[in-house]
Structure formats: C-alpha cells, structure tokens
Amino acid sequence: LWGGGPATWTALLTSLFVHAGWLHLLANLLFLLLFGPWVERRVGGLPFLLGCLTVGAATALGHAALHPDSPDVLVGASGTVAGVLGAFLLFFPRARITALYPALLFLPLRLPAWLALGCWAVTQWLAARGADTSPGEADTVVLAHQAHLLAFGLGLLLARLHHRRARTTPPRDAAATGKARGGVPGNGALE
C-alpha cells in the first residue's frame, strides 16, 4: 500500500469484497444480516453504505499503518462488520441477543447487547495480546484482531457522531417501529 502507486489505493475498498474462503464470507454475511438491518434502519441506507465503506477502508489503512512491513494481506469485510457491531452497541445497548458461546459448550445465552458485544470486544483484545507473544503463524492472527478492534471503535465513533446530529431532527422511524427513534422493534429480541 505504501510503496505502490495510486492504483494500489483501490485495494482499500476492493479488499472488502475478497475473502479467505467460504466460511469467512458466510460468517461475515451472517453477522451483517443479524446486525446490519438494525443499524441501517437507524441511520438510513446511503449513510449506512458510506459508513460501511469508510470503516472498511479505514480498517485496511489502519492495518497498513500498524504493520507497514508485513507481507500478510488483510481481506474480507470483518472490519466492516465489526464497525456495524460498534454502531449497534451504541444505538441498541439493551437489545437482547441470543448467542452461542463455544467456551460454554455452545450453551445459548440471552444477554443484553452491551454485555454480549462487550465480551466480544474483550475477547478480540485478549486474542490480539495473546498473539503478540506467540511467534510464527499467530502474527497473522493478531493483525485481524487489531483490525476488528479498530473497526469496532470506528463504528462506535461514527454512530456517536450520527446520534449527536440526529438529536436535533424529528424521529423518522417512529411509525415503523412503534417507538421513539432508536427503539428496538418487536419484543426487543435479536436472535
């Protein structure tokens, strides 16, 4: 990225659409399907699209800045999805999320978003720190965890900026949800 010409900079966006395999692609699509519509409904279609592209490109740029000499390639929309998770957390902190946790033998737990996504962020942070101390292949893994954390923070920041701007405008989605702007539709559950 740093040594190439202007054409290299297109990689900031094109890398979002290339994945390391079908499982990588399906995992990103699943999380985008679960959390994306909620955030999109809150901010609108075009701002959602622009926000996703901005967070994805900024994540790739952050990866390049943190690891300028790395031969590893950052691909996929995981950073973009992590940004959507950050925005979801800010907009819907009390939404109930049913999740399966491998450490608990895939026991389904129903938790508020602030706890479920907070645990996800802590897990990413611990994985990044643990991979820092391991030589070899773990160096590749730490890059992804750092990118996820960067994107999560950017998603929180963009959502906060939108939230500030939206306070001065009347609610657009009250009729669609039956609640005030930002309310969780239905029974408040996300599964």
Side-chain angles (χ1 to χ4, degrees), residues 93-142:
R94 292 188 303 260
R96 305 293 288 179
I97 298 174
T98 301
L100 301 174
Y101 292 92
L104 300 175
L105 303 175
F106 293 97
L107 176 70
L109 295 177
R110 196 165 162 84
L111 302 170
W114 67 265
L115 183 58
L117 296 177
C119 287
W120 175 85
V122 167
T123 302
Q124 295 296 308
W125 181 74
L126 290 173
R129 288 186 45 86
D132 270 339
T133 60
S134 304
E137 284 186 31
D139 294 340
T140 303
V141 176
V142 71

Side-chain angles (χ1 to χ4, degrees), residues 1 13 15 23 54 56-57 60 65 71 79 86 91-92 114 130 134 136 141-142 159 170 172 177 180 186 189-190:
L1 184 65
L13 290 178
S15 66
L23 186 59
T54 300
F91 290 144
F92 308 105
W114 67 265
S134 304
V141 176
V142 71
R172 293 182 321 206
T177 64
L190 176 66

Side-chain angles (χ1 to χ4, degrees), residues 12-131:
L12 290 176
L13 290 178
T14 58
S15 66
L16 303 177
F17 300 98
V18 178
H19 286 76
W22 285 106
L23 186 59
H24 186 209
L25 175 65
L26 292 174
N28 282 335
L29 288 175
L30 175 65
F31 277 86
L32 189 60
L33 177 68
L34 290 175
F35 295 96
W38 296 73
V39 175
E40 181 183 12
R41 188 177 308 134
R42 178 72 186 263
V43 301
L46 184 60
F48 179 75
L49 174 64
L50 294 175
C52 284
L53 293 175
T54 300
V55 169
T59 301
L61 190 61
H63 162 71
L66 286 172
H67 307 281
D69 298 327
S70 175
D72 297 321
V73 179
L74 184 69
V75 295
S78 301
T80 300
V81 172
V84 170
L85 294 179
F88 184 91
L89 176 61
L90 190 110
F91 290 144
F92 308 105
R94 292 188 303 260
R96 305 293 288 179
I97 298 174
T98 301
L100 301 174
Y101 292 92
L104 300 175
L105 303 175
F106 293 97
L107 176 70
L109 295 177
R110 196 165 162 84
L111 302 170
W114 67 265
L115 183 58
L117 296 177
C119 287
W120 175 85
V122 167
T123 302
Q124 295 296 308
W125 181 74
L126 290 173
R129 288 186 45 86

Side-chain angles (χ1 to χ4, degrees), residues 112-187:
W114 67 265
L115 183 58
L117 296 177
C119 287
W120 175 85
V122 167
T123 302
Q124 295 296 308
W125 181 74
L126 290 173
R129 288 186 45 86
D132 270 339
T133 60
S134 304
E137 284 186 31
D139 294 340
T140 303
V141 176
V142 71
L143 303 179
H145 293 299
Q146 289 173 346
H148 294 166
L149 289 170
L150 173 65
F152 189 74
L154 288 172
L156 281 168
L157 176 66
L158 287 177
R160 181 71 180 142
L161 292 173
H162 176 79
H163 184 65
R164 242 186 220 170
R165 191 179 79 244
R167 273 198 231 155
T168 60
T169 61
R172 293 182 321 206
D173 60 353
T177 64
K179 296 184 176 191
R181 181 170 185 76
V184 178
N187 63 2

